[in-house]
Structure formats: C-alpha cells, structure tokens
Amino acid sequence: MSPGQLRIYLGAAPGVGKTFTMLQEAHRRKERGTDVVVGFVETHGRKHTAALVGDLEVVPRKRVSYRGTTFEEMDVEAILARRPQVAVVDELAHTNVPGSGNGKRWQDIQELLEAGITVLSTVNIQHLESLNDVVQQITGVVQQETVPDEIARRAEQVELVDMTPEALRRRMAHGNIYRPDKIDAALGNYFRVGNLTALRELALLWLADKVDEQLDRYRAQHHIGGTWETRERVVVALTGGPEGDTLIRRAARIAARSKGSDLLAVHVARSDGLAGADPALLARQRLLVESLGGTYHQVIGGDVPRALLDFARGVNATQLVLGASRRGRLAQVFSAGIGVTTTARSGAIDVHLVTHEEIGQGRRRPIISGQAALSRPRRVAGFALAVVGLPLLTVVLSALRGDLALASDILFYLAWVILVALVGGLWPAVLTALAGSLLLNYFFTPPIHRFTIAETENLLSLLVFVVVAVAVSAVVDTAARRTREAARASADASTLAAVAGSVLRGARPLPALLERLRETFALESVTLLERHPDAPPSPDRPHDPASWRIAATVGGRPCAAPGEGATDVPIDDDLALVLRGHPLPAADRRIVEAFAAQAALALRQERLAQEAAAAKPLAEADKMRTALLAAVSHDLRTPLASAKAAVTSLRSHDVDFSTEDRDELLAAADESLDKLARLVANLLDMSRLQAGALGLSMAEIGLEDAVPRALDELGPHARAVRVRIPPELPAVHADPALLERVLVNLIGNALRFSPPQQPPDVTAREQDGTVRLHVVDHGPGIPEDAREHMFQPFQRLGDRDNHNGVGLGLALSRGLAEAMGGTLAPDTTPGGGLTMILTLPSAEASAVTAADAATEAEAAEVADRAIVQRLRRRPTAERESSQ
C-alpha cells in the first residue's frame, strides 16, 4: 500500500483564508467522486467558514478529559476505521491534549498518511520551527506551537494562500476574523502593516526555497544538465592567488543586483594532489565569501574548465566570474587559457572575465624550501659522475673500437647520461650530453680525432643522441621535482590535519590551535595580537606596542607587538600572529599563514560564544519577565476586581443589602484579598529563593499539627480530603510556616484536579530517618516526560486559558522543601492520577546528626589543644626542624 499525499495550505497570518481554500478544494474533490471526510476543522466562529463545511461528512471528534476539563480532539482511530480517500485536517501545528495518543497533530497526520489516506491541512508561517525565533523578533509574540520544517517540506504540494496586509486588515476591521472586542487590540499589535508585510515576505521566501528543492529534484530525475535561469546564482572561481579578493567583491556586487540571488565561491584543486594554491589566501578568501553571505566550495579536477562548468551547471548557476589570465603573452600563444576555454564551453551561463592587478605577471608557483628539484649533494655527485665517468667511458670504448660500431658507442654514452640524470638531475645530465656528443665526434666519428663529421648519418645520430639525452634529463628532473612537491604537500596536509584534529578535540579551539602550532614548529611562544579599537592602523608606526593587545598566547614570554617575534604573520588590519623562537623557512610560513586565518576565525567564534553566554541570562530573565507579566496580569486583576466590586457594592447607597447579602459580599472580598496575599507571598518567596536570601526558623513539628492548619487555610472545600497520619509518626525538622505553605500548595493542587467523587488522600510514614508525606490525587495525572517541566516557574501544563494561576505553586514548594533539607518528587497514583511525595528529615535523625557533629567538633578541638601543648614542650630547634 502506497502512503497518502500531504497537501498544505500555507498562510502568512491568521485570517488569510487557508481553511476556506482547503474546504473549497475538499468540495471540488467530492464533486469529482472522491471519498472526502472532515477529520478536524476549526472555524474560530467565522460563519462563512462554518457554512462552507456544508454537506461534507464530518467524523465525530474524540472527547478527552484533562485536569477536570473536557476537550475535543481529532479521532484518528475513527478516521482510520472509516478509511476515506481524503481527510481534511486543520491546524498542522496544533498541540494535542495529554492523553490523546500523539503529542502533536502532525503526528496524527503521519499516521493517516502511512495508512494511505491523502490529507489536506493548513499552517501559518509563524508555526514553522526554523522561523519561530524570527517571527518572535518581528512580532514580539512567542509561538508555543511549532511544526518541524521537514514535515512541511516533505509535502507533495504546498499552496500559498496570499493576501495583502491592507486587505487582511480590512477583513479584520469588518469582523471576519476576530470578535469585535478583540479587533482594536489585534490591529494595533500583531496585525500591524509592518508585521504582516514581514510575515508575508517570510512565507514567500520559504515557499521559494521549497520550489527550488522541487526543481532540483526534477532536474536530477530527468537528467537535465542545462541552466534554467529561475534564480540568479553567481559562481566565482578562485585560484588561490592574490586576485581572489577582487573577484569575490565583484561577484558579490553582481549578485546584489538581484534580490534573493546566491553567491558561491569554488576552488578547483588539482587531481594529482600537488599544492597549486596558497592555503593562507584561500582561507582568507573563504572568510571574505562567508562574510558577504556566500558559500565556499572545493572540487577536484584535472581539467579546470570542465570542473568549473560541471560545478556551475550542478548548482544551476546563471553567471560565472573568472579572473583574466595571469600568464604572459607568449604562454597565451601556445594555449588559450582557462578563461577563454571556459567561455567557449559555457553555453547558457554568462561568463565575466574580471581584470585585476596580477594580469600578465605570470603564474607564481608556491615557494618551497630549496628551489632545485634535487639536493645539493646529489647535484655535486652528478657533476662528479660527468667529469670522472666520461673520460673513463671514452678510454674503455676506445679500446674496443674494432669490436663496437658507432651506434653501440652512442647507446653507452646515452646510458651514462641517464645515470647522471638519475643522480644529479637536469644540469649535470645536460653537461654530460653535450660533452658526450663532442667526445663521440672526436674519438668515434670519422674522420677520427677531428671535430668534423664526414657522413650525414653520423651527424643525424649525434643530434638524436643530444636531443634524447636532454629530454630524458628533463623528464627525470621533472619527476624528481614532482616527487619533492608531493612529499611537501603530504607533509603540509599532515600538519594541517594534526592541527585541525587538536582544535576539534579541544574545548577551546583557539588555545589548542596556537599550542599545536608551537609544538609543531618547536617555537618558544605563539601570540595572537589584536589592535586596540581606538588605535587605527598607522603606516609610520606599525609595530607600536601601545597599538596592540594580546588576544591569546601560549608558551613562554609573549610578544607585545608584531616586530618583537622572529616571524610575524599579518592576518588583516586588526590581527597579527607573532611567533617567538627561530625564523621559519618560506614553506613553513605558508602553513602558518593558513592557520593564522583559522586562528582569526576561532577568535571570532570564541567572542561570539562569549556574547551568546552573556546574552543567555538576559534572555532567560526577559523570558521569565514576559512569562511573569503574562501570568500575573490576570491573576492580580481577578482578586482585585472581585474585592473592589464587593467593596464598591457595599459602599453604594442605591441598593439596600440584606444581612445575608452583606455577609456574602464581605466574604467574597475577604477571600479575594486572601488569594491576592497568597499570590504576593509566593512571588516574594520565589524571589528570595532565587536570590538565596530566604530566612529559615527550623523547629520540631508534627505532621498531625501541620496538615490540619493547611486544610483550615484552604477553606471549607478542603474538608473532603482524607488524612491518615499514624499517631506514632515522629516529628519532622522543618520551618513550621514554610511547611504549611508547601502543604497548602500541594493539597490545593490535588483538590483542583481531583474528581468530586474521589477526593485527595494525605498519608505519611517513616523511612530511614525521614518522614515521607504522600499527597494523592485521582485526577488525569501528568505524563512522565512533562513532570520536571511542571516544577519550572510560571509553567501551567495543559492550561489553555491561562487562568489557573501563575504556575508558581510546585516550583515554590520544591524550592522550600529543598531549603529545609528535604525533597519533593512526583509519582504515579495507582489507577490514575498524580502523587506528590514530600520527604523531610525526622527530628530524631536531625538531633542525632547534630550531636554527632558536635562530638566530632569537640574531639577535634581536644586533639588540636593536645598537639599545641606538645609543640610548646619541645625545644625551639626541634620545633623549627619540624616546621
């Protein structure tokens, strides 16, 4: 059975018509004969949406009880049993009531899709997980319900239901979205023109990315390699040369001309594994690309034009930026060059050849230690073989003149040239070839002992000998040079890998990077210097210590300015890496330059991490303040309003109240003021707990006394609580007032969520020197994965109307219990419900612990006095020696 398809109607804000459009599609499918049912549609009281449900079959909703309240949710089991072809399910990001089976509605939809049922659903852009924080920054509203982007991206179809901000505000003003009492607040807050415009742009951009993914998938499935200019994508080719900065900035300007365009930088590494680019420049250019909003890529290829165009076509690029050739005019005569070749093969891709200062300067090979392909001893050995070996070979061949022909003599000389080339390289071999040709001419080519050649065939043989000898020498020298470059590249790669590994394994990347560099090159110290913000670059005094400060250092004595070290590597105008110790050769300096750029990146990341860490407490405080204001705004107003209404009524002279009515109003005012006092007390105690300034007055108190006091404070409705405390239960060591506060909160919560026919139970027992008090309710309970969440301040699990208190009761109770040396933990009530277990130290155990501590302290004091007395009786010299 194939899975069903998901179709999502995406909107920028509530009220754009997502549900209306979805229901229209459901009617169209029903008219075509498709079996369609409505799994869940939320009309929000909008009459036009409710009327559009019409004659569509509606699956009855499932009723779920939670904390004494009944909610309606989609009945997934009923839909699966009905097995329609299409199910209409509104609000993809909806959070289900605990006990519904799945935590989120998108998980319900996944079950329907796996059963082969096609689903039509809706979602607003602010509910997508990746955009949640962006929407909060724009609107100032925290979205509690989110859906993973992957769920929406996997949908076969996503249709944008669009509406201009002005039209949406008109719908709002006409009462087509919210009730009249909410219109003014909505228009002045969430539904401002700026907010709606920004949300609309977010929806369009997200959908554009979704369309790009679909287009890439289609092109890959149909093997389409040509460029479709659906969006501007600018690719800039980097060679690792100094002209890269110019090319990147030029490509960024080209990309900036079209809104939403992409910038990509690519470097083609040689497939032979030899280093042909400066790693330090590439690292710096990568940072530049990323700072301009682009991405950096590296591909491997032997044919650079083909590799560039393959990459450009793979990313559906529309423009390719190349630098004009750095080769000289003579080199361009023999080869067209990468730029010309790429332009000729580009097809639909526009190619920009950008001029720069390096044009005609030639392609500079990376400098490595020792310019010659072979070492000096080997070159000396080659010259020695040429000088000594040629005369000896000539003497031997002269003795065999009658037995060997000229061709054999030439082969012996050619073999000697190859031997010299293998030992000494190019120039000793060239010298041997030229000298050998002269010796062959003089001693073995008629006329003998004259530098003339009588026969054309002999002349041709000597010329071929010289050409072959020089060619073989050049090949051997090139192979030796490539071998040396490969060895150097391998050593560089090993160093880079080792340093990168140490950085990745370290908790702090920057010190690990600098320490690895110091160890690798046996340096005394490595210092990363940063220019003072108030000290701009000065060409006259670049090494002034007053202009620099140490950002990071490892090793011995750090350097205070770039000129103090043996080697200094400037990173940019504000950063420099200074090495103290021995000077580094040119090849090692290249590696240091590459990691200097990485050090700059590590420093920036470290600064960002510090800023994020500093901002996190502020964000938490702001989040706490927002939650506090949102929660307390209602709970403060309600008792105040009740008390004020009662007092105002009593003061009114227009109504004559009876004694019963007056008593009822006074009781209402008294109850409201008590509720307000408890709320303020909870807030003050929580603030004292968080500040560590809560005062305790510990004493022995029996639970048989503390529990009735808490029940009396809770009022008449607490009389139904069943209390079973054994008479032999020991007293606890606690603060009586705080213990009563904890009991009031725990029993009050149990009363709130227990059904009337099953009141809470309060039991207690002794265990291992502690007293465990169980407050048992038989309500809906709380899932295990949400139990720790309920102890966070200002959290109300499942309270959709946000009218059930500020969510401080359990958080404060746990804090007070821990302050008294106890614990508060939740457990599951057998048969359903929640049990809160308050554990406190018994008074007997506390007394024993205190007595033991006093005994240990007294024994330690006696021992100390004995030691002091013994020291006083010892001679002075002995005391000094003991010290």
Side-chain angles (χ1 to χ4, degrees):
M1 179 181 60
S2 59
Q5 295 184 348
L6 174 62
R7 180 168 185 171
I8 295 176
Y9 293 87
L10 176 67
V16 296
K18 303 181 302 300
T19 305
F20 196 87
T21 306
M22 178 181 64
L23 290 173
Q24 288 179 328
E25 175 64 19
H27 279 285
R28 282 193 292 268
R29 298 200 180 199
K30 181 181 179 182
E31 292 170 359
R32 294 196 297 265
T34 305
D35 184 13
V36 181
V37 301
V38 175
F40 192 98
V41 168
E42 185 61 69
T43 64
H44 297 287
R46 300 164 191 166
K47 57 182 180 180
H48 299 293
T49 304
L52 192 59
V53 176
D55 57 349
L56 293 174
E57 179 183 349
V58 179
V59 177
R61 299 181 182 181
K62 177 173 62 175
R63 300 175 69 84
V64 181
S65 296
Y66 181 67
R67 291 190 170 184
T69 306
T70 302
F71 301 92
E72 291 186 344
E73 294 288 0
M74 181 176 67
D75 195 339
V76 181
E77 291 76 11
I79 298 176
L80 293 174
R82 170 66 173 75
R83 298 196 63 80
Q85 292 177 288
V86 177
V88 179
V89 182
D90 207 1
E91 296 185 353
L92 180 66
H94 171 77
T95 300
N96 294 329
V97 175
S100 301
N102 293 317
K104 293 286 188 177
R105 183 162 293 164
W106 59 264
Q107 295 172 326
D108 295 337
I109 291 176
Q110 281 188 316
E111 288 191 25
L112 300 180
L113 295 174
E114 292 172 358
I117 302 173
T118 295
V119 177
L120 309 180
S121 189
T122 63
V123 71
N124 282 330
I125 193 66
Q126 66 264 27
H127 295 299
L128 295 179
E129 183 66 43
S130 65
L131 300 176
N132 187 258
D133 56 341
V134 179
V135 174
Q136 179 183 350
Q137 183 180 2
I138 294 172
T139 63
V141 178
V142 180
Q143 301 295 332
Q144 301 294 342
E145 296 182 325
T146 59
V147 60
D149 286 47
E150 182 62 24
I151 301 300
R153 291 190 183 280
R154 286 207 302 260
E156 278 69 21
Q157 298 183 58
V158 178
E159 180 177 333
L160 179 65
V161 182
D162 193 23
M163 181 176 290
T164 64
E166 293 77 13
L168 185 58
R169 285 172 60 85
R170 282 197 298 270
R171 286 198 64 195
M172 174 71 71
H174 293 161
N176 295 328
I177 301 178
Y178 289 160
R179 297 194 307 270
D181 58 328
K182 293 186 176 181
I183 292 177
D184 292 338
L187 290 175
N189 293 281
Y190 193 88
F191 283 81
R192 295 195 300 268
V193 174
N195 289 354
L196 297 177
T197 303
L199 293 174
R200 188 186 186 199
E201 183 177 13
L202 283 177
L204 291 170
L205 291 175
W206 188 91
L207 188 61
D209 289 338
K210 167 72 174 174
V211 172
D212 276 343
E213 292 177 4
Q214 293 177 332
L215 179 61
D216 292 341
R217 193 180 309 118
Y218 177 85
R219 284 163 51 86
Q221 292 172 353
H222 294 78
H223 307 288
I224 299 174
T227 300
W228 289 5
E229 298 187 17
T230 54
R231 179 193 285 193
E232 289 289 350
R233 286 188 175 88
V234 183
V235 174
V236 52
L238 303 178
T239 64
E243 75 281 358
D245 294 358
T246 302
L247 301 183
I248 292 171
R249 293 187 175 94
R250 177 61 174 162
R253 290 195 295 271
I254 295 174
R257 295 173 184 171
S258 301
K259 186 174 180 60
S261 60
D262 297 329
L263 173 64
L264 302 92
V266 59
H267 169 67
V268 180
R270 292 168 56 179
S271 57
D272 56 11
L274 300 180
D278 190 335
L281 287 176
L282 281 179
R284 189 181 69 189
Q285 290 163 9
R286 177 173 186 168
L287 293 177
L288 177 60
V289 169
E290 293 174 349
S291 68
L292 294 173
T295 57
Y296 178 85
H297 308 267
Q298 182 166 312
V299 297
I300 299 176
D303 187 346
V304 176
R306 175 178 295 180
L308 282 177
L309 291 174
D310 287 345
F311 175 81
R313 294 189 180 107
V315 298
N316 200 24
T318 57
Q319 303 188 61
L320 181 60
V321 178
L322 302 172
S325 178
R326 293 186 294 176
R327 301 179 308 142
R329 294 183 180 273
L330 183 60
Q332 295 182 33
V333 172
F334 294 98
S335 175
I338 294 176
V340 176
T341 305
T342 304
T343 304
R345 302 178 185 175
S346 62
I349 302 177
D350 296 335
V351 180
H352 303 263
L353 287 178
V354 179
T355 60
H356 50 83
E357 297 179 353
E358 300 295 322
I359 295 177
Q361 299 297 320
R363 188 171 180 82
R364 302 171 185 172
R365 297 183 62 83
I367 302 173
I368 60 174
S369 56
Q371 291 294 322
L374 300 176
S375 62
R376 182 181 180 87
R378 288 188 61 177
R379 296 200 307 273
V380 172
F383 281 115
L385 281 176
V387 172
V388 176
L390 281 179
L392 293 176
L393 181 61
T394 303
V395 171
V396 173
L397 294 178
S398 296
L400 300 173
R401 182 179 291 123
D403 298 330
L404 298 175
L406 177 62
S408 299
D409 296 331
I410 292 176
L411 289 177
F412 276 107
Y413 274 93
L414 181 59
W416 195 260
V417 170
I418 294 175
L419 177 62
V420 172
L422 291 173
V423 175
L426 177 62
W427 295 114
V430 171
L431 174 63
T432 305
L434 295 176
S437 65
L438 295 176
L439 292 174
L440 281 170
N441 184 9
Y442 189 80
F443 288 101
F444 301 100
T445 305
I448 304 299
H449 300 151
R450 293 179 61 185
F451 287 105
T452 58
I453 301 175
E455 298 179 8
T456 306
E457 182 180 356
N458 294 335
L459 175 61
L460 182 61
S461 299
L462 289 177
L463 291 177
V464 171
F465 164 76
V466 173
V467 172
V468 172
V470 173
V472 170
S473 303
V475 169
V476 172
D477 183 80
T478 302
R481 185 183 298 275
R482 289 299 181 91
T483 301
R484 190 162 205 167
E485 290 178 355
R488 183 67 204 183
S490 177
D492 291 350
S494 299
T495 302
L496 297 176
V499 177
S502 65
V503 172
L504 291 176
R505 290 190 297 269
R508 300 180 60 195
L510 182 56
L513 180 76
L514 300 183
E515 179 61 28
R516 188 66 182 182
L517 282 176
R518 189 188 68 82
E519 293 178 355
T520 301
F521 298 107
L523 300 169
E524 179 184 341
S525 67
V526 178
T527 306
L528 181 63
L529 295 177
E530 183 179 24
R531 192 182 299 276
H532 283 288
D534 54 350
S538 175
D540 300 332
R541 304 180 63 188
H543 298 161
D544 184 9
S547 302
W548 298 89
R549 62 184 179 186
I550 298 176
T553 184
V554 295
R557 184 163 53 95
C559 300
E564 295 185 5
T567 304
D568 61 275
V569 180
I571 302 174
D572 52 30
D573 292 339
D574 298 325
L575 291 173
L577 190 66
V578 186
L579 314 178
R580 184 186 294 276
H582 55 84
L584 297 179
D588 291 342
R589 182 182 175 90
R590 291 176 59 246
I591 300 299
V592 174
E593 287 176 351
F595 280 95
Q598 297 301 320
L601 180 61
L603 177 63
R604 294 187 181 97
Q605 291 177 340
E606 191 174 280
R607 296 279 173 82
L608 289 175
Q610 292 173 355
E611 292 176 2
K616 185 176 181 180
L618 299 177
E620 292 294 333
D622 183 69
K623 181 179 179 181
M624 182 73 71
R625 183 170 58 253
T626 302
L628 173 63
L629 292 175
V632 175
S633 60
H634 174 270
D635 294 277
L636 283 176
R637 285 199 304 265
T638 300
L640 280 176
S642 300
K644 181 174 177 58
V647 173
T648 302
S649 300
L650 289 172
R651 293 186 61 190
S652 175
H653 300 289
D654 298 333
V655 180
D656 292 330
F657 293 101
S658 64
T659 304
E660 293 79 7
D661 293 338
R662 185 178 297 276
D663 292 340
E664 184 176 353
L665 288 174
L666 289 173
D670 183 61
E671 183 179 355
S672 298
L673 292 175
D674 287 342
K675 183 178 180 181
L676 182 61
R678 287 195 298 269
L679 173 62
V680 174
N682 282 342
L683 290 172
L684 291 175
D685 285 342
M686 179 57 68
S687 64
R688 292 192 187 101
L689 273 175
Q690 293 178 343
L694 183 68
L696 296 176
S697 178
M698 306 296 286
E700 294 185 11
I701 182 173
L703 291 182
E704 66 277 7
D705 298 327
V707 172
R709 293 177 189 171
L711 295 177
D712 292 340
E713 185 173 344
L714 286 171
H717 66 288
R719 295 173 183 171
V721 177
R722 294 173 295 196
V723 181
R724 294 190 298 273
I725 298 178
E728 68 277 5
L729 188 72
V732 297
H733 187 66
D735 185 307
L738 297 184
L739 176 59
E740 184 177 337
R741 297 281 303 285
V742 173
L743 294 176
V744 167
N745 287 328
L746 296 181
I747 300 174
N749 280 339
L751 284 168
R752 185 179 302 116
F753 298 111
S754 292
Q757 65 276 13
Q758 285 185 298
D761 296 308
V762 177
T763 62
R765 60 188 175 88
E766 183 184 8
Q767 181 178 348
D768 299 331
T770 63
V771 175
R772 297 165 63 92
L773 179 76
H774 295 245
V775 180
V776 183
D777 70 62
H778 304 279
I782 295 177
E784 291 188 8
D785 56 353
R787 288 181 178 175
E788 286 303 316
H789 187 64
M790 69 183 181
F791 288 105
Q792 298 178 10
F794 313 115
Q795 302 295 325
R796 295 179 294 265
L797 300 181
D799 293 347
R800 298 187 171 201
D801 54 1
N802 291 343
H803 292 171
N804 293 335
V806 296
L808 272 179
L810 291 178
L812 180 61
S813 297
R814 170 173 277 189
L816 295 177
E818 293 176 350
M820 292 184 293
T823 60
L824 179 63
D827 197 4
T828 301
T829 301
L834 183 69
T835 298
M836 300 300 297
I837 304 174
L838 175 64
T839 304
L840 293 170
S842 67
E844 297 175 358
S846 299
V848 171
T849 303
D852 292 342
T855 302
E856 292 178 1
E858 183 178 355
E861 184 178 356
V862 171
D864 290 341
R865 287 199 300 267
I867 293 172
V868 171
Q869 291 174 0
R870 285 199 302 270
L871 285 175
R872 287 176 178 175
R873 289 195 297 267
R874 293 165 63 183
T876 304
E878 186 181 352
R879 290 202 303 267
E880 292 178 352
S881 63
S882 67
Q883 295 174 0

